[in-house]
Amino acid sequence: MTNKAYAANTTPVAVHDCHQLLAWIIPQLELYPRARRFTLGEKLEVLLMEVRLGWVPAQ
């Protein structure tokens, strides 16, 4: 039986997708004007990291 919530390497799809979003958005944040990059850009990055880290169980 397969579980569609997991990728082939048993990483949950939501964690994988959030990581992909982070990999895409971080370079995009560099394109923000300086005033936005250090306010809105930083908040977006921190929130996405918190979401991603919240899904990874403690070892």
Side-chain angles (χ1 to χ4, degrees):
M1 184 191 283
T2 62
N3 186 345
K4 292 183 181 182
Y6 287 86
N9 63 359
T10 68
T11 301
V13 174
V15 172
H16 177 265
D17 289 349
C18 189
H19 178 76
Q20 292 297 103
L21 178 59
L22 274 165
W24 174 81
I25 204 165
I26 290 173
Q28 299 301 314
L29 297 177
E30 297 296 323
L31 303 175
Y32 280 29
R34 183 180 176 101
R36 298 289 179 258
R37 186 169 54 234
F38 294 108
T39 55
L40 178 61
E42 183 177 345
K43 286 180 183 182
L44 282 170
E45 186 176 346
V46 168
L47 286 172
L48 281 172
M49 287 299 295
E50 287 179 7
V51 168
R52 183 176 180 272
L53 292 174
W55 285 329
V56 177
Q59 295 289 330

